[in-house]
Amino acid sequence: MSWSCLATRPPSTTSKWSRGVLLLAPRPNGFHQRAATRLAYLIGEWLPDDYFALNAVEVILSEAPLTVRVPDVVVAPDSLVRANPPRFHTGDVRLVVEVLSEGTRRTDQVTKFSEYAEAGIEHYWIVDLDSPVTLITYRLIEGDYENFGEFSGVADLDFAGTPLTLDLNALTTRRAQRP
């Protein structure tokens, strides 16, 4: 499929495109969805007012060959979120987060890792829900991702000059506010 064909279609929650090829994948399971939703909420609580965290937004990595991914969490400017485009372009995205699943582990750690770097997305974080829950943060430096830290328990991070604290164990508990 080409960019011109995709531009005329509504966003899809069930398909992704990689190098012009349609990829069909099962929807994430409930445990994965709970963690991704909670993660977007927790990140969003710490972000400066000019950024917003969202779940499952189509991000155009390349128009030729067409590559569209749907990260578990995307951080983009609040002004873009308010404009409500059907898809985001990589230049608008500051951070993508993928939550590993059994069926996507290799794709998230290898394929998306290189695709997001090639597209120029500054921050890429990978969350592994296997006990203990872990987070690996990467930052794009001269075209390649460098590991900026591996965390479990409580992660003290920095995003856009703002301190951000994430309780990774809260991603898998029933209620985020309970200890």
Side-chain angles (χ1 to χ4, degrees), residues 16-29:
K16 300 162 188 153
W17 296 86
S18 181
R19 306 193 188 290
V21 176
L22 174 64
L23 305 174
L24 296 178
R27 291 184 184 271
N29 64 31

Side-chain angles (χ1 to χ4, degrees), residues 43-53 75-76 78 159-164:
I43 291 172
E45 288 298 296
W46 289 95
L47 289 175
D49 289 342
D50 50 342
Y51 288 101
F52 199 87
V75 173
D78 186 60
F159 178 80
T162 301
L164 188 142

